[in-house]
Amino acid sequence: MRSHYCGNLNEALLGQVVTLCGWAHRRRDHGGVIFIDLRDREGLVQVVADPEAEAAFAVAESVRGEYVLQVTGLVRARPAGTVNPNLPSGAIEVAAQSITILNTAETPPFPLEDEEINENLRLKYRYLDLRRAPMLHSLRLRHQVTRFVRNYLDEHGFIDVETPVLTRSTPEGARDYLVPSRTYPGQFFALPQSPQLFKQLLMVAGFDRYYQITKCFRDEDLRADRQPEFTQIDLETSFLDEEGVMGITEGMIRGLFREVLGVALPDPFPRMTYAESVGRFGLDRPDLRNPLELTELTDLMREVDFKVFSGPAQTGGRVACLRVPGGAELSRSQIDEYTAFVGIYGAKGLAWVKVNDLGQGREGLQSPILKFLPDAVIDEILRRSGAQTGDILFFGADKAKVVNEALGYLRNRIGLDRGLLRGDWAPVWVTDFPMFEYDDEAGRWVSLHHPFTAPKVEQLDLLESEPGRILSRAYDMVLNGNEIGGGSIRIHSTEVQQRVFRALGIDDAEAADKFGFLLDALKFGAPPHGGLAFGLDRLVMLLSGADTIRDVIAFPKTQKAGCLLTEAPSPVADKQLRELGIRLRQAPAADKDVQAS
């Protein structure tokens, strides 16, 4: 039905007759000559309907926005002074010889050229939203990314293997999405949170290098960069250590940025340990474009009379401060806003000191907490933090996790608020994560990553006696403060895997019940193996400059895990429930709330 795409027309086609298909993006009647901007996935071209072409002109008079058209016409140069340099086709136009209306269209619920459109409306009419240039760009960028990844991994010997979507429920951190089985009444499949166990089995099977661009499912609370179903670039290798896996994947990301954005990322990426990252930046995914850093004060505060600081310092917590250059200009209302912000992360308050004049010592400082601190402590705080006249210091004192998250996220926010970010892209590897963290509510150790991550070989003897000291062979790739990929070397020994399960409070019987197939497989010559998974949605979000991953997914869910387009989830017929042996404890609510935010 077409000979060319609209956006591909240019001066090389001058004098040729072309046939185009697309949507009427805009129609303008200029006193006897009708202009139609015809749009398809490749872009726009200006179609001109002159009265001399009577049949085409008559049809053009009835065209309205978003009508579906077929146009045949002559490619000619635009008159002098009318060239549009912002369009690839801006130097030419198509003089219509015939116009066919393939379908009419009602007026869309929102103007497609508008930049600010209510997100709920966009998601309800997603098929119209996808006609907009920014959405088309995002999804084409996503296609570029997956095409490059497939080619790169194929060149490096990886084999694309699909793994099951219906599997068994295993504890991996988040809640599973469960699927009732009709043929096994009372039993359930689970949708995979990741292909973790299957890719390890593929290594046991000898595939050596596996990859898959795959859907994963987690029933967890959502935010801008999370979805209940998301896509991973998942890969696993045999006979490679951390350096090997990190080398291949770093090369892939560096090549991807060069191919898609024309950007040269650092070679090699910088590295830092988990302890260094948390110590300097509060979080294990630092944004290295931000120059702000935390200053350690725990040792300094153990003997002060100020219990807000000395209490955490004496009981295994943390006391730290964040210096903000020029921050003394912040108003009290702005400080109160930051105080409320850190409360989101469990902080009970946000102490501060303004450095109005460093040369005056205590007299040049302003803060309600100064009276609780001796001169020697104040002097050391100023020395360690490198405070200068005009700065402000924000303090955190609590459990280490609370202080790290509160000051870490505050650092991110202040960096954005005050325009402190330097450079466009800042990748970093974070390594040497703790193997376990203690869950106070559960009263036991839990995996920081997942229970199949290998511990440092030299620390195996600590598994039973001091699990909190063990470091894992895990590694995360972080970009601009976002974890875009994470992985580890896996446990390939049945005996070590069972010891890790026991450290996690999973006895042999429970391990056999939930992971027996993996433990059995490890007995049959499992090779040393490891891998990494990238979050495709988050990676494309960063590459495209989008604010949320919803803008790089064709048909996303809202922040409440609902679909405004299809109105999923939805009730099902009683007959279907009876076939599955399911009875609802109460009738579903009459109205649904699947708002985007």
Side-chain angles (χ1 to χ4, degrees), residues 109-156:
F110 51 83
L112 300 189
E113 61 270 20
D114 279 9
E115 294 184 6
E116 298 294 331
I117 306 170
N118 178 274
E119 188 179 28
N120 288 350
L121 200 58
R122 290 175 53 206
L123 294 180
K124 180 175 177 62
Y125 297 96
R126 188 61 161 187
Y127 45 86
L128 296 179
D129 187 38
L130 291 173
R131 292 181 185 177
R132 299 190 310 117
M135 292 303 305
L136 179 60
H137 169 74
S138 292
L139 292 186
R140 295 194 71 159
L141 179 65
R142 186 182 179 112
H143 163 68
Q144 285 182 274
V145 170
T146 56
R147 180 181 61 192
F148 176 88
V149 166
R150 291 186 187 279
N151 290 339
Y152 179 91
L153 293 177
D154 182 65
E155 291 170 1
H156 285 76

Coordinates of all heavy atoms in Angstrom, one line a residue, residues 109-156:
P109 N -8.8 11.9 23.0 CA -9.1 12.5 24.4 C -8.1 13.5 24.9 O -8.3 14.1 25.9 CB -9.2 11.3 25.3 CG -8.4 10.2 24.6 CD -8.6 10.5 23.1
F110 N -6.9 13.6 24.2 CA -5.9 14.6 24.5 C -5.1 14.9 23.2 O -5.0 14.0 22.3 CB -4.9 14.1 25.6 CG -4.4 12.7 25.3 CD1 -3.3 12.5 24.5 CD2 -4.9 11.6 25.9 CE1 -2.7 11.3 24.2 CE2 -4.4 10.3 25.7 CZ -3.3 10.2 24.8
P111 N -4.6 16.1 23.1 CA -3.9 16.5 21.9 C -2.5 15.7 21.9 O -1.8 15.8 22.8 CB -3.6 18.0 22.1 CG -4.6 18.4 23.1 CD -4.8 17.3 24.0
L112 N -2.3 15.0 20.8 CA -1.1 14.2 20.7 C 0.2 15.0 20.7 O 1.3 14.5 21.1 CB -1.1 13.3 19.5 CG -2.3 12.3 19.4 CD1 -2.1 11.4 18.2 CD2 -2.5 11.6 20.7
E113 N 0.1 16.3 20.3 CA 1.4 17.1 20.3 C 1.7 17.7 21.7 O 2.8 18.3 21.8 CB 1.3 18.2 19.2 CG 0.2 19.2 19.4 CD -1.1 18.7 18.7 OE1 -1.3 17.5 18.5 OE2 -2.0 19.6 18.5
D114 N 0.8 17.6 22.6 CA 1.0 18.2 23.9 C 2.1 17.4 24.7 O 2.2 16.2 24.6 CB -0.3 18.2 24.8 CG -1.2 19.4 24.5 OD1 -0.9 20.1 23.5 OD2 -2.2 19.6 25.2
E115 N 2.9 18.2 25.4 CA 4.0 17.5 26.2 C 3.5 17.1 27.6 O 4.0 16.2 28.2 CB 5.2 18.5 26.3 CG 5.9 18.7 25.0 CD 7.1 19.5 25.1 OE1 7.5 19.8 26.3 OE2 7.7 19.9 24.1
E116 N 2.6 17.9 28.2 CA 2.1 17.7 29.5 C 0.7 17.1 29.4 O -0.3 17.8 29.2 CB 2.1 19.0 30.3 CG 3.5 19.6 30.5 CD 4.4 18.7 31.4 OE1 3.8 17.9 32.2 OE2 5.6 18.7 31.2
I117 N 0.6 15.8 29.6 CA -0.7 15.1 29.6 C -0.9 14.3 30.8 O 0.1 13.6 31.3 CB -0.8 14.2 28.3 CG1 -0.5 14.9 27.1 CG2 -2.2 13.5 28.3 CD1 -0.4 14.1 25.8
N118 N -2.0 14.3 31.4 CA -2.3 13.5 32.6 C -1.9 12.1 32.4 O -2.4 11.5 31.4 CB -3.7 13.7 33.1 CG -4.1 12.8 34.3 OD1 -4.4 11.7 34.1 ND2 -4.0 13.5 35.4
E119 N -1.1 11.5 33.3 CA -0.6 10.2 33.1 C -1.7 9.1 33.1 O -1.7 8.1 32.3 CB 0.5 9.8 34.1 CG 1.1 8.5 33.7 CD 2.2 8.0 34.7 OE1 2.1 8.4 35.9 OE2 3.1 7.3 34.3
N120 N -2.7 9.3 34.0 CA -3.8 8.3 34.0 C -4.5 8.3 32.6 O -4.9 7.2 32.1 CB -4.8 8.7 35.0 CG -4.3 8.5 36.4 OD1 -3.3 7.8 36.6 ND2 -5.0 8.9 37.4
L121 N -4.7 9.5 32.0 CA -5.3 9.5 30.7 C -4.4 8.9 29.6 O -4.9 8.1 28.8 CB -5.6 11.0 30.3 CG -6.6 11.3 29.2 CD1 -8.0 10.7 29.6 CD2 -6.7 12.8 29.0
R122 N -3.1 9.1 29.7 CA -2.2 8.5 28.8 C -2.2 6.9 28.9 O -2.2 6.2 27.9 CB -0.7 8.9 29.1 CG -0.5 10.4 28.7 CD 0.9 10.8 29.2 NE 1.9 9.8 28.6 CZ 3.1 9.6 29.2 NH1 3.4 10.2 30.3 NH2 3.9 8.7 28.7
L123 N -2.3 6.4 30.1 CA -2.3 5.0 30.3 C -3.6 4.4 29.9 O -3.7 3.2 29.4 CB -2.0 4.6 31.7 CG -0.5 5.0 32.2 CD1 -0.3 4.6 33.7 CD2 0.5 4.4 31.3
K124 N -4.7 5.1 30.1 CA -6.0 4.5 29.7 C -6.1 4.4 28.2 O -6.7 3.5 27.7 CB -7.1 5.5 30.2 CG -8.6 5.0 29.9 CD -9.6 5.9 30.5 CE -11.0 5.5 30.1 NZ -11.3 4.1 30.5
Y125 N -5.5 5.4 27.5 CA -5.5 5.4 26.0 C -4.1 5.2 25.5 O -3.6 5.9 24.7 CB -6.1 6.7 25.4 CG -7.6 6.9 25.8 CD1 -7.9 7.7 26.9 CD2 -8.6 6.3 25.1 CE1 -9.2 7.9 27.3 CE2 -9.9 6.5 25.4 CZ -10.2 7.3 26.5 OH -11.6 7.5 26.8
R126 N -3.5 4.1 26.0 CA -2.1 3.9 25.7 C -1.8 3.8 24.2 O -0.7 4.3 23.7 CB -1.6 2.7 26.4 CG 0.0 2.5 26.4 CD 0.7 3.7 27.0 NE 2.1 3.3 27.4 CZ 2.9 4.1 28.1 NH1 2.5 5.3 28.5 NH2 4.1 3.7 28.3
Y127 N -2.7 3.2 23.5 CA -2.5 3.0 22.0 C -2.4 4.4 21.3 O -1.8 4.5 20.3 CB -3.6 2.2 21.4 CG -5.0 2.5 21.9 CD1 -5.7 3.5 21.2 CD2 -5.5 1.9 22.9 CE1 -7.0 3.9 21.7 CE2 -6.8 2.2 23.4 CZ -7.5 3.2 22.7 OH -8.8 3.5 23.2
L128 N -3.1 5.4 21.9 CA -2.9 6.8 21.3 C -1.7 7.5 21.9 O -1.0 8.2 21.1 CB -4.1 7.6 21.7 CG -5.5 7.2 21.2 CD1 -6.6 8.1 21.6 CD2 -5.5 7.1 19.6
D129 N -1.4 7.2 23.1 CA -0.1 7.8 23.7 C 1.1 7.3 22.9 O 2.1 8.1 22.7 CB -0.1 7.4 25.2 CG 1.1 8.0 25.9 OD1 1.4 9.2 25.7 OD2 1.7 7.4 26.8
L130 N 1.0 6.1 22.5 CA 2.2 5.5 21.7 C 2.4 6.1 20.4 O 3.4 5.9 19.7 CB 2.0 4.0 21.6 CG 2.2 3.2 22.9 CD1 1.8 1.7 22.7 CD2 3.6 3.3 23.5
R131 N 1.4 6.9 19.9 CA 1.5 7.6 18.6 C 2.4 8.8 18.8 O 2.9 9.3 17.8 CB 0.2 8.0 18.1 CG -0.7 6.9 17.6 CD -2.0 7.4 17.1 NE -3.0 6.4 16.7 CZ -4.2 6.6 16.2 NH1 -4.6 7.8 16.1 NH2 -5.0 5.5 16.0
R132 N 2.6 9.3 20.0 CA 3.4 10.5 20.3 C 4.9 10.3 20.0 O 5.4 9.2 20.4 CB 3.1 11.0 21.7 CG 1.6 11.4 21.9 CD 1.5 12.1 23.2 NE 2.1 11.5 24.3 CZ 3.1 12.0 25.0 NH1 3.6 13.2 24.8 NH2 3.6 11.3 26.1
A133 N 5.5 11.3 19.5 CA 6.9 11.1 19.2 C 7.8 10.7 20.4 O 8.7 9.8 20.2 CB 7.5 12.4 18.6
P134 N 7.6 11.2 21.6 CA 8.5 10.8 22.7 C 8.4 9.3 23.0 O 9.4 8.6 23.3 CB 8.1 11.7 23.9 CG 7.4 12.9 23.2 CD 6.8 12.4 22.0
M135 N 7.1 8.8 22.9 CA 6.9 7.4 23.2 C 7.5 6.5 22.1 O 8.1 5.5 22.4 CB 5.4 7.1 23.4 CG 4.9 7.7 24.7 SD 5.7 7.2 26.2 CE 5.6 5.4 26.1
L136 N 7.3 6.9 20.9 CA 7.8 6.2 19.8 C 9.4 6.1 19.9 O 10.0 5.1 19.7 CB 7.4 6.8 18.5 CG 7.9 6.2 17.2 CD1 7.5 4.7 17.0 CD2 7.5 7.0 16.0
H137 N 10.0 7.3 20.2 CA 11.4 7.3 20.4 C 11.9 6.3 21.5 O 12.9 5.6 21.3 CB 11.9 8.7 20.7 CG 13.3 8.8 21.2 ND1 14.3 8.8 20.3 CD2 13.9 9.0 22.4 CE1 15.5 8.9 20.9 NE2 15.2 9.0 22.2
S138 N 11.2 6.3 22.6 CA 11.6 5.5 23.7 C 11.6 4.0 23.3 O 12.5 3.2 23.6 CB 10.7 5.7 24.9 OG 10.9 7.0 25.5
L139 N 10.5 3.6 22.6 CA 10.4 2.2 22.3 C 11.3 1.8 21.2 O 11.8 0.6 21.1 CB 8.9 1.8 21.9 CG 8.0 1.9 23.1 CD1 6.6 1.4 22.7 CD2 8.5 1.1 24.3
R140 N 11.6 2.7 20.3 CA 12.6 2.4 19.2 C 14.0 2.3 19.9 O 14.9 1.5 19.4 CB 12.6 3.5 18.1 CG 11.3 3.5 17.4 CD 11.4 4.2 16.1 NE 12.2 3.6 15.1 CZ 12.1 3.8 13.8 NH1 11.3 4.7 13.4 NH2 12.9 3.1 13.0
L141 N 14.3 3.2 20.9 CA 15.5 3.1 21.6 C 15.6 1.7 22.3 O 16.7 1.1 22.3 CB 15.6 4.2 22.6 CG 16.9 4.3 23.5 CD1 18.1 4.5 22.6 CD2 16.8 5.3 24.5
R142 N 14.5 1.3 22.9 CA 14.5 0.0 23.5 C 14.9 -1.1 22.5 O 15.6 -2.1 22.8 CB 13.2 -0.3 24.2 CG 13.1 -1.5 25.0 CD 11.6 -1.7 25.6 NE 11.5 -2.9 26.4 CZ 11.3 -2.9 27.7 NH1 11.2 -1.8 28.3 NH2 11.2 -4.1 28.3
H143 N 14.3 -1.0 21.3 CA 14.6 -2.0 20.3 C 16.1 -2.0 19.9 O 16.7 -3.0 19.8 CB 13.8 -1.7 19.1 CG 14.3 -2.3 17.8 ND1 14.2 -3.7 17.6 CD2 14.8 -1.8 16.7 CE1 14.7 -4.0 16.4 NE2 15.1 -2.8 15.8
Q144 N 16.7 -0.8 19.8 CA 18.1 -0.6 19.6 C 19.0 -1.3 20.6 O 19.9 -2.0 20.3 CB 18.5 0.8 19.5 CG 18.1 1.6 18.2 CD 18.7 3.0 18.3 OE1 18.0 3.9 18.8 NE2 19.8 3.2 17.7
V145 N 18.5 -1.1 21.9 CA 19.3 -1.7 23.0 C 19.2 -3.3 22.9 O 20.3 -3.9 23.0 CB 18.7 -1.2 24.3 CG1 19.3 -2.0 25.5 CG2 19.0 0.3 24.5
T146 N 18.1 -3.8 22.7 CA 18.0 -5.3 22.7 C 18.7 -5.9 21.5 O 19.3 -6.9 21.6 CB 16.5 -5.7 22.8 OG1 15.8 -5.2 21.7 CG2 15.9 -5.3 24.1
R147 N 18.6 -5.2 20.4 CA 19.3 -5.7 19.2 C 20.8 -5.7 19.4 O 21.5 -6.6 19.1 CB 19.0 -4.8 18.0 CG 19.6 -5.2 16.7 CD 19.2 -4.3 15.6 NE 19.7 -2.9 15.8 CZ 19.3 -1.8 15.1 NH1 18.4 -2.0 14.1 NH2 19.7 -0.6 15.5
F148 N 21.3 -4.6 20.0 CA 22.8 -4.6 20.3 C 23.2 -5.7 21.3 O 24.2 -6.3 21.1 CB 23.2 -3.2 20.8 CG 24.6 -3.1 21.2 CD1 25.6 -2.8 20.3 CD2 25.1 -3.5 22.5 CE1 26.9 -2.7 20.6 CE2 26.4 -3.4 22.8 CZ 27.3 -3.0 21.9
V149 N 22.4 -5.8 22.3 CA 22.7 -6.8 23.3 C 22.8 -8.2 22.7 O 23.7 -9.0 23.0 CB 21.7 -6.7 24.5 CG1 21.8 -8.0 25.4 CG2 21.9 -5.5 25.3
R150 N 21.8 -8.5 21.9 CA 21.7 -9.9 21.3 C 22.9 -10.1 20.4 O 23.6 -11.1 20.5 CB 20.4 -10.0 20.5 CG 19.2 -10.1 21.4 CD 18.0 -10.5 20.5 NE 16.7 -10.4 21.3 CZ 16.3 -11.4 22.1 NH1 17.0 -12.5 22.2 NH2 15.2 -11.2 22.8
N151 N 23.3 -9.1 19.6 CA 24.4 -9.2 18.7 C 25.7 -9.4 19.5 O 26.6 -10.2 19.2 CB 24.5 -8.0 17.8 CG 23.4 -8.0 16.8 OD1 22.8 -9.1 16.5 ND2 23.1 -6.9 16.2
Y152 N 25.9 -8.6 20.6 CA 27.1 -8.6 21.4 C 27.3 -9.9 22.1 O 28.3 -10.5 22.0 CB 27.0 -7.5 22.4 CG 28.2 -7.4 23.3 CD1 29.3 -6.6 23.0 CD2 28.3 -8.2 24.5 CE1 30.5 -6.6 23.8 CE2 29.4 -8.1 25.4 CZ 30.5 -7.3 25.0 OH 31.6 -7.3 25.8
L153 N 26.2 -10.4 22.7 CA 26.3 -11.7 23.4 C 26.5 -12.9 22.4 O 27.2 -13.8 22.8 CB 25.1 -11.9 24.3 CG 24.9 -10.9 25.5 CD1 23.6 -11.1 26.2 CD2 26.1 -11.0 26.4
D154 N 25.9 -12.8 21.3 CA 26.1 -13.8 20.3 C 27.5 -13.9 19.8 O 28.2 -14.9 19.7 CB 25.2 -13.6 19.1 CG 25.3 -14.7 18.0 OD1 24.9 -15.8 18.3 OD2 25.8 -14.4 16.9
E155 N 28.1 -12.7 19.7 CA 29.6 -12.6 19.3 C 30.5 -13.1 20.4 O 31.6 -13.5 20.1 CB 29.9 -11.2 18.9 CG 29.3 -10.7 17.7 CD 29.5 -9.1 17.5 OE1 30.1 -8.5 18.4 OE2 28.9 -8.6 16.5
H156 N 30.0 -13.1 21.6 CA 30.8 -13.6 22.7 C 30.4 -15.0 23.2 O 30.7 -15.4 24.3 CB 30.7 -12.6 23.9 CG 31.5 -11.4 23.7 ND1 31.1 -10.4 22.9 CD2 32.7 -11.0 24.2 CE1 32.0 -9.4 22.8 NE2 33.0 -9.7 23.6

